[in-house]
Amino acid sequence: MFLDIDGTLLEIAPTPETVIVPAGLRELLVRLYDLAHGALALISGRSLVQLDRMLAPLKVPMAGVHGFERRGADGTAHHESGSAFPAGARERLTRVVREHPQLLLEDKGPALALHYRLAPDLQRIARHAADEALQLAGRNYVLLDGKMVIELKPAAATKSGAIEAFLREPPFVGRVPIFIGDDRTDEAGFECVNRHGGLSIQVGATPIRGATYCLADVAAVRAWLEALARQAEGVRR
């Protein structure tokens, strides 16, 4: 089982730092992790440092920054190779935030995310700055559009690549995958699990390519996971 975080397990907040982890979510993830014999991983655009801080003391396999960094089931850390984030691209995005303080620049180290959720009217300005930053970054980087955010990230980092890597390792190897996500940033993950004959589930009504099933919202995701856990616990008894 592979689960996105923001917009899937957690309600999207005005800023990345203001998300709320609801009571019972950590416990539900622990139950699912145990029932799947450890074959559960979180697949997020956030960094592993952010995820660990948000979900402490929970420790499960995770992929962060859209697959750039990953912690396997055995605790081993993996990172995509790459040089430092291009200084010119960073300066272009930093400058647009100085000029328009309603924009928010989230620094993930190997990637930068330009959020315009607090100022939707600045979408065109954010897009223009992101396009210019991409030109400065070069061919090893791509833009990834999400819900009121544009992210400049290494092209080699994908949620598909992260899921593929997990599926080559115990306890995921040989298992049929499930992936739940809510945004265009999750399309690569859907395509990956579909190739493996798995279950791809979209959250919400945002048009997304690749998902074969849909859940209405975050509450519906947690209700479905709770029902899945209870069913598995009943079988185990």
Side-chain angles (χ1 to χ4, degrees):
M1 181 172 287
F2 303 102
L3 303 172
D4 175 48
I5 303 293
D6 294 274
T8 298
L9 294 178
L10 302 178
E11 299 287 358
I12 294 176
T15 66
E17 293 78 17
T18 56
V19 295
I20 296 174
V21 180
L25 178 60
R26 296 177 183 85
E27 291 77 7
L28 174 58
L29 292 174
V30 169
R31 288 165 60 201
L32 291 167
Y33 176 84
D34 289 341
L35 290 164
H37 304 288
L40 178 145
L42 304 179
I43 311 291
S44 177
R46 290 180 181 266
S47 68
L48 295 188
V49 170
Q50 284 180 306
L51 293 174
D52 281 337
R53 184 170 61 245
M54 287 167 51
L55 298 171
L58 180 69
K59 282 283 189 179
V60 296
M62 296 178 178
V65 196
H66 307 285
F68 184 88
E69 52 186 16
R70 190 172 63 87
R71 184 170 64 226
D74 63 357
T76 301
H78 306 268
H79 294 81
E80 291 288 339
S81 60
S83 56
F85 195 92
R90 182 184 296 275
E91 170 54 30
R92 179 64 187 96
L93 296 179
T94 301
R95 187 168 76 249
V96 74
V97 173
R98 284 200 305 264
E99 295 167 351
H100 302 278
Q102 306 98 315
L103 296 174
L104 172 67
L105 187 60
E106 182 185 5
D107 190 343
K108 303 178 182 182
L112 291 178
L114 185 60
H115 296 262
Y116 54 91
R117 180 170 298 277
L118 297 177
D121 56 309
L122 295 179
Q123 178 182 10
R124 292 181 64 182
I125 290 174
R127 165 57 60 185
H128 180 68
D131 287 341
E132 289 189 341
L134 176 63
Q135 293 301 313
L136 293 167
R139 60 185 179 85
N140 292 328
Y141 286 80
V142 296
L143 292 178
L144 188 61
D145 286 277
K147 292 178 177 176
M148 296 193 180
V149 61
I150 308 169
E151 188 157 354
L152 181 59
K153 71 174 188 69
T158 66
K159 291 189 176 183
S160 173
I163 293 173
E164 290 281 5
F166 277 121
L167 290 174
R168 292 192 292 268
E169 300 172 352
F172 299 92
V173 65
R175 312 285 285 274
V176 177
I178 298 171
F179 178 55
I180 311 178
D182 74 300
D183 205 351
R184 290 175 60 188
T185 59
D186 298 308
E187 290 177 347
F190 295 146
E191 294 166 1
C192 175
V193 300
N194 290 343
R195 289 196 300 270
H196 287 271
L199 187 66
S200 54
I201 304 174
Q202 169 187 335
V203 183
T206 301
I208 298 176
R209 295 177 301 176
T212 52
Y213 294 92
C214 180
L215 289 166
D217 50 28
V218 171
V221 172
R222 293 207 295 263
W224 186 77
L225 292 174
E226 175 65 36
L228 194 66
R230 289 184 179 179
Q231 182 181 34
E233 287 163 348
V235 170
R236 179 174 285 186
R237 293 190 192 100

